[in-house]
Amino acid sequence: MQGNIEIVASGHPVTSVMVLKSSKAEVSRKFDIIVKEGRNKLTITKLPTTINEHSVRLSLHNSDGTPTEDIYLSDTVCYIVDRPRDESSQSRLRALEIKKSGLQSEKKMLDTQAEVMVSYARSLTGQSTGTQDIDAFLNAFHERGRKNIESAMKIEEQISELDNQIQEERRKKTSIKGTLNTEMTIVITADRSKQIQLRLTYVVNNTKWTPAYELHAVTGEDGKPCSKVSLHYHASIKQATGEDWTGASLTLSTVSTDGVLKEVPALMPVEIYEQLPVVRGRHPRTQSRSPSRRHAPPIIIQTNRSRSYSRSARSLTSSPAHCSISNATYADNPGAVYQVHHGSTTFRVAPEFQASQEISPDDFDILSDDELQGQNTRTTRNLDLSAKQVTQTPMNLTYAVRGRADIPSDGKDHTVTIAILTFDADIEYVSIPRLDPRVFLQVNLLLVPYQVLGPVSVILDNNYVSSTRFSDVNRNDSFTFTLGDDPSISISYERLSKVTKEGTHTFAEPIDITTYTTSITVHNTHPFSIENFSIRDALPVSGNDKRIKVLLRKPKELVEAKEDNFVEVKDQGEVGDGNSGLQVKWKKEKEGIYEYRWKIGASGSLKLETVFDIKAPSDLAYQFSNFGINCYHIE
C-alpha cells in the first residue's frame, strides 16, 4: 500500500439526510482526502451500528465535484467491530477525572503541610526558644499559611469547575442514543497523487418523522373572518442512530423501504389428481398407465398393526372434495414430505412412491386425527421461501426542510418548519338548530399540494381553537374544519303539531294526519352581512313501513328539487332588511336531510317555516328516532 488514511466519521458533519417513513433514513457524507499514486487504504471509523451494509454506496469525485476517471475503487468492506475504539467523549471524561484526581492529591499535600506547621508551632516553648526566634517563626508561619490557604482555594475552585465539566460530559454521554461501532475499509487506486472527494451514502435505522400542521385564520377589525388562511407545514423528527445531524440538508419522504419485494405474485397451475385411500405398509395394486401422464402418489402410512379395510373406511378417501396440497408438487421434489388435508383429517404423502407396489386388503388401515397429528410432528418439515429485497420504489411525497437542520441523536422529538402557504378559503356559517342552536364558522379549504396524514391545530387570531386531523388528502381535494361558534348570531327553533282525522265513515279506515310546522328565526347582530348562511334540518322518513306516509307542504320548491341542487324559495316568509337569495336543497333526499342557504344582512333577521304532514292509521302507534319533538326557544 502506498498510503494509509484514517478518518473518524464523527469529526466530519453529515451533509444531507432523507428521512423515510419506515423508521429508516438515507445519510450522505463527503470526505476530502489526498491519495497517493498506487493503492491507498482508507479506514472510516465511528459510523452508526445500525447501518444497512447492503445500502452502502461510494463514489469518487474531483475536488470541484466532477467525476474522476483516473481514480477508482478496488475494494470495500463494511463491518461491525466487537471492541470499538475509545470514543472522544469517553477520552475527555477520563482526562477530566485524571486531572481532578491530581488536584485532589495536591490539595491533600497542602493540608498535610498545614498540619505539620501547626504541630511544629505547638512544640515550641519559651524555655528553648528566644523571643526573636519566635517572632521570626510567627512571621514565616503567617506568610506560609496565607499562601497555603490561597493555593487550597484555587485548587478547590478548579476541582469544582472540573466537577461541572465531568457532569456535563456524563449528561452528554447519557443523552446520546445509539452506538458507533461500524467501520469501513476502502482501497482506492490512483494513477497519480491528487486531492479527491469521497462521497458516502448509507441507510440507517432508528429514525422517525411525523407531520404536523397549523391552520391560522384571522379576523378583521369588524370581527369578520378573512377569506385567506395560512397552512404551516411542520414535521416532528427524532433519531437514535448514534451520530448527530448537524447543519444537514434535511428531506422528508413518504417512501417505505421495508425490504420486502413488492411485485405481483406468480400464479401456479392447479391440477386435479385421483384421490387414493390411506393404507398401511403398501398401496393397492395399480395398473400400468401411460408414462406421459402424471399421477399423485398414494397416501401411505407405515404401521405394525393390521386392521380390516371396510367400505366405510374406503369412502373417507374416495371423494376429492375439500382436499388441498401444498404449493410444491410431488414431481418437483419427490424426496420431500408434503401435507394433504382431507376434511378434518390430515395425511402425509410418502416421500418414495413406486407405482408397482402391492398390498393386501388386510393391511389397509385408517388413522385417527390424533394418530395422524403424532405422525406429522415427527416427519413433516416446513418449506420456507426466502424473501427478496425491494426491487422498485413506489410513488412518494418528498418534503425539503427549509435551511439547515440540527437533529441530535437523543431520541427526542425535534420540530422543524417545512413551509408556510396561504390559501383562499370559503367561510360558511352553519347551524343545525334542532341539535345545537349555535352557529359555527366552517371553513372549506381547497388544498393544492399533497398532504400526509397528521394532526392539525386550528389557530384563530393567534389563539388555539381546536384540533383536527388530515386524512390522506390528494391534490384538489377539499378539507373542512371549524373556527368555533359565533355568539353574535342568535337562533330560535320551534315546532308545533296539529292532528286531524280522516276517513271517519263506517267503511273507511280511520287515518290520523299530523301536521308539523317548524319555525326557525335567525337574528344577526354583526355590523356586516353574512354571504353564506346555512341552516340544516331533517324530515322524518317512513322507511319500509308503507302504512306511514310523509308529505312535504312547505317549501313547495323542495318537493321537485334534485339532490344537491339549490332552488330558489319564492315564498320567503318574513324577510328582514338586507336579506336575499333564500335557497333550499336536498343534501340527502332518501334520508330527508335538507339545507337552507341565503345572505343575511347586517343586523338582519329571517324566519323560516317548514311544514309537513304524517299520515298513519289511527290505531298505529309510531315513534321518532333522532327527531326531538320537544320545542325550545334559545336566544
Side-chain angles (χ1 to χ4, degrees):
M1 292 290 179
Q2 297 295 329
N4 292 318
I5 307 171
E6 183 172 326
I7 297 177
V8 180
S10 57
H12 299 261
V14 172
T15 56
S16 64
V17 180
M18 176 180 287
V19 187
L20 310 176
K21 289 293 287 184
S22 53
S23 300
K24 295 179 176 62
E26 187 178 71
V27 180
S28 298
R29 291 177 174 273
K30 290 190 297 185
F31 304 99
D32 293 325
I33 58 177
I34 298 177
V35 295
K36 299 179 181 180
E37 182 180 354
R39 291 165 58 85
N40 298 263
K41 181 180 179 181
L42 171 64
T43 303
I44 304 177
T45 62
K46 301 302 177 187
L47 290 170
T49 308
T50 61
I51 282 182
N52 184 340
E53 298 178 6
H54 301 286
S55 68
V56 176
R57 303 194 306 275
L58 291 167
S59 61
L60 301 175
H61 299 264
N62 295 316
S63 57
D64 58 358
T66 59
T68 179
E69 297 180 355
D70 52 356
I71 298 177
Y72 55 91
L73 297 170
S74 298
D75 187 21
T76 302
V77 181
C78 181
Y79 52 92
I80 296 177
V81 294
D82 296 332
R83 294 183 178 180
R85 308 180 189 188
D86 291 339
E87 299 181 359
S88 57
S89 60
Q90 184 68 24
S91 301
R92 289 194 300 268
L93 183 60
R94 185 164 54 251
L96 291 173
E97 290 176 344
I98 292 174
K99 188 175 182 180
K100 177 183 176 181
S101 178
L103 290 174
Q104 288 175 339
S105 299
E106 188 176 351
K107 173 68 167 49
K108 187 176 181 180
M109 184 178 62
L110 291 175
D111 293 340
T112 303
Q113 291 178 359
E115 291 177 359
V116 170
M117 292 181 64
V118 171
S119 298
Y120 179 76
R122 289 175 179 174
S123 66
L124 296 178
T125 61
Q127 297 177 355
S128 60
T129 307
T131 304
Q132 294 180 352
D133 294 335
I134 292 177
D135 290 340
F137 173 76
L138 291 176
N139 291 333
F141 180 83
H142 177 268
E143 183 66 21
R144 181 67 61 86
R146 184 180 60 80
K147 292 181 179 180
N148 188 291
I149 292 174
E150 290 178 354
S151 299
M153 291 176 61
K154 289 181 180 180
I155 291 176
E156 288 180 353
E157 184 177 353
Q158 293 175 359
I159 291 176
S160 177
E161 184 178 352
L162 285 175
D163 285 336
N164 293 334
Q165 294 179 9
I166 291 173
Q167 185 177 2
E168 179 65 17
E169 286 295 330
R170 288 176 177 172
R171 186 194 64 80
K172 290 180 179 179
K173 186 177 180 180
T174 56
S175 65
I176 297 176
K177 306 298 181 181
T179 56
L180 302 173
N181 296 347
T182 299
E183 295 185 1
M184 290 187 63
T185 301
I186 306 167
V187 177
I188 302 175
T189 303
D191 294 342
R192 58 187 178 89
S193 300
K194 63 183 299 187
Q195 181 174 348
I196 64 170
Q197 185 181 91
L198 173 67
R199 296 182 182 180
L200 171 63
T201 303
Y202 50 85
V203 174
V204 292
N205 295 323
N206 296 340
T207 66
K208 182 181 180 181
W209 80 273
T210 54
Y213 307 92
E214 288 182 3
L215 274 169
H216 287 256
V218 295
T219 57
E221 295 181 357
D222 56 358
K224 188 175 183 179
C226 181
S227 61
K228 291 185 179 294
V229 298
S230 60
L231 179 62
H232 296 221
Y233 288 68
H234 298 299
S236 178
I237 306 170
K238 64 180 178 181
Q239 59 107 347
T241 62
E243 62 181 0
D244 295 337
W245 302 340
T246 304
S249 175
L250 200 59
T251 304
L252 309 177
S253 175
T254 60
V255 67
S256 176
T257 57
D258 52 11
V260 179
L261 181 65
K262 295 180 176 66
E263 64 179 15
V264 179
L267 185 62
M268 303 300 294
V270 179
E271 300 182 18
I272 301 177
Y273 297 105
E274 177 185 359
Q275 178 67 46
L276 298 180
V278 175
V279 296
R280 290 184 181 273
R282 295 173 296 172
H283 66 82
R285 180 179 302 173
T286 57
Q287 299 178 356
S288 60
R289 299 181 176 91
S290 172
S292 61
R293 181 181 177 184
R294 294 195 306 169
H295 293 274
I299 302 170
I300 303 175
I301 299 178
Q302 300 291 339
T303 181
N304 294 327
R305 297 176 299 169
S306 177
R307 296 183 185 176
S308 61
Y309 179 74
S310 63
R311 183 175 300 274
S312 60
R314 185 182 292 110
S315 64
L316 289 175
T317 59
S318 60
S319 174
H322 308 293
C323 180
S324 61
I325 302 180
S326 61
N327 57 355
T329 62
Y330 176 81
D332 296 332
N333 192 356
V337 179
Y338 301 99
Q339 295 274 355
V340 177
H341 303 278
H342 185 280
S344 62
T345 304
T346 304
F347 306 99
R348 67 184 181 91
V349 179
E352 296 179 358
F353 167 62
Q354 296 179 0
S356 60
Q357 276 190 303
E358 297 182 359
I359 190 170
S360 64
D362 293 338
D363 293 330
F364 289 5
D365 199 1
I366 301 296
L367 294 185
S368 65
D369 291 350
D370 294 337
E371 291 174 315
L372 286 168
Q373 183 65 29
Q375 293 278 353
N376 291 333
T377 56
R378 291 191 297 269
T379 60
T380 304
R381 64 181 177 89
N382 295 325
L383 300 178
D384 186 16
L385 298 177
S386 60
K388 299 180 181 179
Q389 291 189 336
V390 177
T391 57
Q392 63 180 7
T393 301
M395 185 183 69
N396 68 93
L397 305 180
T398 301
Y399 298 97
V401 177
R402 302 172 66 179
R404 298 283 177 172
D406 295 334
I407 310 295
S409 179
D410 55 5
K412 298 179 181 179
D413 288 319
H414 298 266
T415 302
V416 297
T417 299
I418 299 174
I420 300 176
L421 302 179
T422 302
F423 299 92
D424 291 327
D426 293 330
I427 299 178
E428 184 180 10
Y429 290 75
V430 180
S431 179
I432 306 178
R434 182 167 61 85
L435 302 179
D436 192 332
R438 293 179 296 174
V439 178
F440 295 91
L441 277 73
Q442 180 173 278
V443 180
N444 297 315
L445 186 64
L446 182 63
L447 299 176
V448 177
Y450 287 95
Q451 317 300 323
V452 180
L453 182 69
V456 183
S457 298
V458 180
I459 311 297
L460 178 61
D461 292 334
N462 290 326
N463 295 316
Y464 175 82
V465 175
S466 63
S467 63
T468 180
R469 190 171 182 83
F470 271 141
S471 57
D472 287 326
V473 183
N474 293 324
R475 184 179 296 272
N476 295 328
D477 281 356
S478 61
F479 177 70
T480 301
F481 62 96
T482 59
L483 294 176
D485 62 285
D486 190 340
S488 298
I489 303 176
S490 61
I491 294 183
S492 64
Y493 185 91
E494 185 180 33
R495 182 185 297 126
L496 302 176
S497 62
K498 179 182 178 182
V499 180
T500 58
K501 299 290 185 178
E502 184 180 87
T504 57
H505 300 288
T506 304
F507 298 101
E509 181 183 14
I511 299 294
D512 284 350
I513 302 176
T514 305
T515 301
Y516 290 93
T517 301
T518 300
S519 300
I520 302 174
T521 303
V522 182
H523 181 59
N524 175 27
T525 62
H526 281 298
F528 55 85
S529 61
I530 299 174
E531 299 292 336
N532 295 325
F533 194 96
S534 298
I535 295 287
R536 297 170 187 170
D537 205 349
L539 298 175
V541 292
S542 59
N544 297 326
D545 196 333
K546 302 300 182 182
R547 296 173 297 173
I548 303 175
K549 295 183 179 180
V550 180
L551 302 176
L552 178 62
R553 301 297 184 187
K554 185 179 180 180
K556 297 180 180 179
E557 294 80 4
L558 187 59
V559 176
E560 301 296 333
K562 296 181 179 180
E563 185 171 309
D564 212 27
N565 288 330
F566 277 107
V567 294
E568 184 178 357
V569 179
K570 297 179 181 179
D571 184 8
Q572 299 185 7
E574 300 179 10
V575 180
D577 296 336
N579 300 328
S580 62
L582 179 61
Q583 296 177 319
V584 68
K585 74 170 183 179
W586 290 111
K587 284 188 68 70
K588 296 180 180 179
E589 184 176 2
K590 292 184 178 180
E591 299 178 10
I593 299 176
Y594 62 95
E595 176 181 344
Y596 283 109
R597 176 172 292 185
W598 74 98
K599 173 185 176 182
I600 184 171
S603 302
S605 60
L606 178 68
K607 184 176 182 180
L608 305 173
E609 281 191 353
T610 303
V611 182
F612 59 91
D613 294 341
I614 296 181
K615 288 187 176 183
S618 299
D619 58 350
L620 176 63
Y622 60 88
Q623 61 183 3
F624 299 96
S625 64
N626 305 320
F627 193 50
I629 294 300
N630 295 332
C631 303
Y632 58 84
H633 182 83
I634 296 180
E635 292 288 351

